[in-house]
Amino acid sequence: MNKKDTKGKQRVEALGLRGWCLRLFGAGVGGSAVIMTLPTFDWAPLAWLALVPILWAVRGTSAKQHFLLGWFAGSLINFVGFFWISGLLIDFGH
C-alpha cells in the first residue's frame, strides 16, 4: 500500500470502496475477537491475537482513517461487549 516518494517519505494511497470494505471487515474481526476474550465467552488466550486484524486494517492509512477504523472497532467492542452495563445501572442505581 505505501510507496515512497522522491524524498523517501511514505505516502498514502486512496483506498477505494473495496479497500475500505476489507479494512472495515478487519476492524470488525478484531473487535469481535476482543469481545470473545470477555468473561461471557472466556477465550482469554485470543487476546494475544485480537488486535492483529485491527493493526492490519490501519496499516498504510492516514491519521483520519486510523481514527475512523479505530472508532468503528472500539464502538463494536463497547456496544456489543458491554451490553450488560445498562441492566446493571437499572438494577443497582438509585
Side-chain angles (χ1 to χ4, degrees):
M1 283 302 270
N2 287 342
K3 294 185 179 180
K4 293 189 178 189
D5 63 5
T6 56
K7 296 183 182 180
K9 296 180 182 177
Q10 290 186 344
R11 63 183 173 89
V12 177
E13 295 180 7
L15 293 178
L17 181 62
R18 183 170 186 247
W20 264 110
C21 289
L22 284 173
R23 290 179 188 273
L24 281 174
F25 179 74
V29 166
S32 300
V34 171
I35 291 168
M36 298 303 281
T37 65
L38 297 174
T40 305
F41 302 102
D42 201 27
W43 291 4
L46 184 61
W48 291 101
L49 301 174
L51 297 178
V52 172
I54 299 171
L55 292 174
W56 170 82
V58 299
R59 186 176 145 229
T61 58
S62 68
K64 181 180 177 182
Q65 293 166 343
H66 283 157
F67 172 79
L68 292 173
L69 290 166
W71 178 81
F72 175 73
S75 296
L76 179 69
I77 293 166
N78 285 301
F79 289 130
V80 176
F82 301 120
F83 66 91
W84 51 270
I85 290 180
S86 62
L88 176 90
L89 294 174
I90 291 170
D91 291 342
F92 298 105
H94 290 62

